[in-house]
Amino acid sequence: MITIRSLHKSFGSLQVLQGIDYEIKEKEVICIIGPSGSGKSTFLRCINLLEEITRGEIFIDGIQVNDPKTDINEIRKEVGMVFQQFNLFPHMRVIDNITMAPIKIRKMGKTDADTLARQLLKKVGLADKADAYPEQLSGGQKQRVAIARALAMKPKVMLFDEPTSALDPEMVKEVLDVMKQLALEGMTMVVVTHEMGFAKEVGDRVAFMDNGLLVEEGTPDELFNQPKNERTKAFFSKVLV
Amino acid sequence: MDILDFRFDAIWNYRELFIRGLWITLGLTVVGYAGGLILGLFVGLGKLSKKKWVYYPAKYYVDFFRGTPLLVQLLLIHTALIPSIFGHSLGFFVSGAVALMLNSAAYNAEIIRAGINSIEKGQMEAARSLGMPYKTAMRLIILPQALRRMIPPFGNELIALMKDSSLVSMIAGSELLYAGKVVAGATLRPWEPYLTVAVLYLLLTFIFGKLISYVEKRFSNSYVPSPRKQRLSVGRTEAGG
Ligand SMILES: Nc1ncnc2c1ncn2[C@@H]1O[C@H](COP(=O)(O)OP(=O)(O)OP(=O)(O)O)[C@@H](O)[C@H]1O
Ligand SMILES: [Mg+2]
């Protein structure tokens, strides 16, 4: 579903991604782990072209994302993204946060969008928060709304960039549970995370990124229990799995 | 001259001159300010543009109008620009309003640019990641938030523009200060007419100040409507549906 070939990304003279090849199949949950600054966020942001790609190719459903002829907005409709800092729209009620893109971008009717948004809010356990404003929510609630907002576009794949890193520990679980549910429903997901438990339990495959390269990847069992690469081993010895 | 020997009865005979001046000052302020807001929005967006042919004209515009005295701009417009376009003068009001508008647009452009830049990058990214085109995201997500932050500096700009409108007296525009000048000349008494003018300006500043603080309070930092307003809007919905 997503094919990445020889992906390079530099910021000026700083080479952040140095040639990544990867293939993500439909319904797969890929977890990306790795030290800070290794390029995980950049990698994710290249997939929906929030970062311009320096070199290489990314295909989603056979369409080349970084072809100048491709309408990037069409691609982004199909690729949901959840950010570490939630990025809810503070001037809109929760329900409007969720219905806005379906109405304005998918041209969905108001009542249909409203019904959909309420379904999604129920799904993330926030049915009673439809009329609240983001500032009235806790971090965990905000992130669940952000997930609902992305899902409202009915994307084919969801990208998560450390969705629980900005949360107080007691709120991490409520967000991970929603993500777990989503994975069970067959959503294709790429998740950058430091939650090794989640990667082990939910990930179909785990990839370890270091210095702008996917150094090693495999099933959670392969990666966590029998890492082959020295750098992977060194990383795990530090983070205590 | 004895300061305590004021003879405001001398002024009273000229009251209509002052009242007319007051209205003209008000008119120049309102027209110049409204035009300056709209034009400033475009110039401000121009200064945010990545396209060089949009950015540079906007930048030079701001540099010129902020870097030269308003009086010079006013004389250029009144005695050179308008006569060479139309063949004759269009009167002091048109020249004055145009000069105030062009000048305040430059200051407003900076306010708008700074306001838009103050919105966290994540807001635009979240909107774009939902498939929203740049302009739509600007209109629905960025501007509504940025405009709120622009309210206090826009308020300052209104008062500054009102005071600047006194320069229109230099092209014999019969606004408030000009009324004072005429009366001072006719009565040969400088204190009473100019003090009257000062008090009337203060009155305008006071009224505008009240207006501004009302608007500021209305759009306070929180997006959550105050309880009273919420109840009102609920009432309306119930009555309507
Ligand atoms: N917009 C940018 N301009 C310049 N350098 C950048 C930019 N974004 C990221 N970088 C640099 O690219 C490198 C990789 O950053 P990235 O955010 O992808 O790392 P990460 O693996 O997500 O780290 P973390 O776990 O801390 O989130 C870092 O050295 C960072 O400083
Ligand atoms: Mg990151």
Side-chain angles (χ1 to χ4, degrees):
Chain A
M1 170 168 204
I2 302 180
T3 306
I4 293 150
R5 283 202 212 124
S6 182
L7 173 62
H8 288 73
K9 169 69 187 174
S10 331
F11 292 106
S13 61
L14 179 69
Q15 295 194 6
V16 177
L17 300 180
Q18 329 214 30
I20 292 179
D21 293 274
Y22 208 65
E23 179 85 37
I24 297 162
K25 296 192 200 70
E26 211 179 320
K27 302 199 171 184
E28 259 185 335
V29 177
I30 310 292
C31 291
I32 298 174
I33 57 175
S36 180
S38 56
K40 306 179 297 295
S41 298
T42 308
F43 173 66
L44 214 57
R45 292 158 57 84
C46 282
I47 295 179
N48 66 353
L49 232 61
L50 280 184
E51 299 292 352
E52 216 176 305
I53 294 167
T54 311
R55 191 147 56 83
E57 294 161 333
I58 297 180
F59 295 89
I60 297 180
D61 271 346
I63 300 168
Q64 190 179 343
V65 173
N66 58 325
D67 182 336
K69 277 180 249 129
T70 305
D71 179 357
I72 187 59
N73 293 322
E74 288 302 315
I75 303 275
R76 285 177 179 152
K77 285 183 197 173
E78 313 299 334
V79 182
M81 186 152 196
V82 175
F83 301 84
Q84 184 174 347
Q85 298 299 339
F86 330 127
N87 296 341
L88 291 182
F89 306 133
H91 58 304
M92 296 178 181
R93 291 178 307 157
V94 162
I95 187 95
D96 300 321
N97 261 274
I98 301 174
T99 59
M100 192 201 50
I103 292 171
K104 299 285 178 188
I105 309 301
R106 285 242 189 257
K107 308 292 175 202
M108 190 186 272
K110 263 205 164 73
T111 23
D112 289 348
D114 196 80
T115 313
L116 170 67
R118 285 178 199 278
Q119 275 168 10
L120 287 170
L121 278 175
K122 201 163 149 202
K123 180 174 171 154
V124 300
L126 294 171
D128 55 331
K129 295 292 183 192
D131 292 318
Y133 279 79
E135 66 188 85
Q136 296 170 305
L137 304 180
S138 71
Q141 293 172 331
K142 280 183 196 162
Q143 194 61 299
R144 286 184 281 153
V145 172
I147 294 173
R149 177 177 69 179
L151 290 176
M153 286 298 280
K154 306 207 165 130
K156 291 181 186 150
V157 52
M158 288 278 285
L159 311 176
F160 294 83
D161 190 1
E162 299 197 32
T164 57
S165 293
L167 299 178
D168 292 337
E170 69 270 22
M171 292 171 187
V172 169
K173 187 173 176 296
E174 62 188 53
V175 172
L176 292 182
D177 283 347
V178 167
M179 292 168 63
K180 213 180 290 178
Q181 183 59 34
L182 208 54
L184 286 176
E185 290 167 12
M187 175 61 79
T188 311
M189 293 162 62
V190 186
V191 186
V192 172
T193 186
H194 290 299
E195 296 291 332
M196 298 303 158
F198 177 85
K200 256 186 206 171
E201 187 188 340
V202 184
D204 293 310
R205 287 192 290 152
V206 180
F208 172 68
M209 182 177 268
D210 192 21
N211 250 323
L213 285 171
L214 286 180
V215 173
E216 185 169 2
E217 76 96 37
T219 63
D221 178 57
E222 285 168 353
L223 210 81
F224 287 107
N225 299 330
Q226 315 138 47
K228 295 187 186 70
N229 188 288
E230 286 310 315
R231 284 194 276 176
T232 320
K233 286 182 199 166
F235 177 71
F236 284 144
S237 71
K238 267 183 265 164
V239 297
L240 293 174
V241 179
Chain B
M1 158 180 276
D2 185 357
I3 293 183
L4 295 173
D5 184 27
F6 281 149
R7 299 221 22 225
F8 278 97
D9 52 325
I11 303 296
W12 186 247
N13 298 327
Y14 295 94
R15 59 191 178 279
E16 271 169 18
L17 221 55
F18 285 108
I19 290 168
R20 188 181 132 83
L22 199 62
W23 280 111
I24 289 174
T25 291
L26 205 60
L28 284 169
T29 305
V30 169
V31 175
Y33 189 67
L37 279 182
I38 296 163
L39 184 62
L41 180 63
F42 288 103
V43 180
L45 289 176
K47 275 206 79 173
L48 287 165
S49 176
K50 286 202 185 86
K51 296 182 191 111
K52 284 204 161 68
W53 59 273
V54 179
Y55 170 79
Y56 278 104
K59 176 185 154 45
Y60 292 139
Y61 179 93
V62 172
D63 289 351
F64 176 79
F65 280 98
R66 296 210 315 171
T68 55
L70 175 55
L71 184 53
V72 174
Q73 297 159 19
L74 180 65
L75 291 173
L76 265 176
I77 288 164
H78 185 64
T79 63
L81 183 68
I82 288 183
S84 36
I85 295 175
F86 296 96
H88 53 86
S89 162
L90 297 178
F92 76 88
F93 193 89
V94 172
S95 301
V98 166
L100 288 169
M101 175 184 98
L102 295 180
N103 182 268
S104 74
Y107 288 90
N108 288 338
E110 282 302 296
I111 294 173
I112 286 160
R113 191 190 56 79
I116 288 173
N117 274 342
S118 77
I119 303 300
E120 305 68 49
K121 232 173 77 226
Q123 291 289 310
M124 179 56 95
E125 289 183 348
R128 297 303 308 270
S129 78
L130 290 164
M132 226 182 269
Y134 176 83
K135 280 186 185 152
T136 314
M138 202 43 135
R139 185 165 51 83
L140 298 177
I141 306 301
I142 307 300
L143 280 179
Q145 296 180 57
L147 282 172
R148 247 167 210 264
R149 299 193 187 173
M150 297 173 197
I151 288 171
F154 275 156
N156 296 340
E157 189 51 33
L158 173 61
I159 299 210
L161 184 142
M162 191 270 290
K163 291 188 286 187
D164 282 349
S165 73
S166 61
L167 284 173
V168 177
S169 64
M170 296 300 287
I171 57 171
S174 54
E175 46 69 72
L176 190 50
L177 177 59
Y178 192 74
K181 266 179 155 173
V182 169
V183 175
T187 58
L188 297 175
R189 298 186 72 90
W191 277 99
E192 293 87 345
Y194 286 126
L195 272 179
T196 307
V197 166
V199 167
L200 289 174
Y201 274 117
L202 264 181
L203 181 75
L204 285 181
T205 309
F206 177 78
I207 294 170
F208 283 137
K210 282 278 172 221
L211 195 76
I212 292 162
S213 61
Y214 170 76
V215 174
E216 272 179 28
K217 219 172 277 154
R218 195 59 227 281
F219 299 96
S220 61
N221 286 326
S222 170
Y223 286 101
V224 184
S226 67
R228 206 182 113 253
K229 243 171 66 200
Q230 234 166 14
R231 233 182 294 130
L232 277 178
S233 74
V234 168
R236 220 180 356 251
T237 339
E238 278 167 2

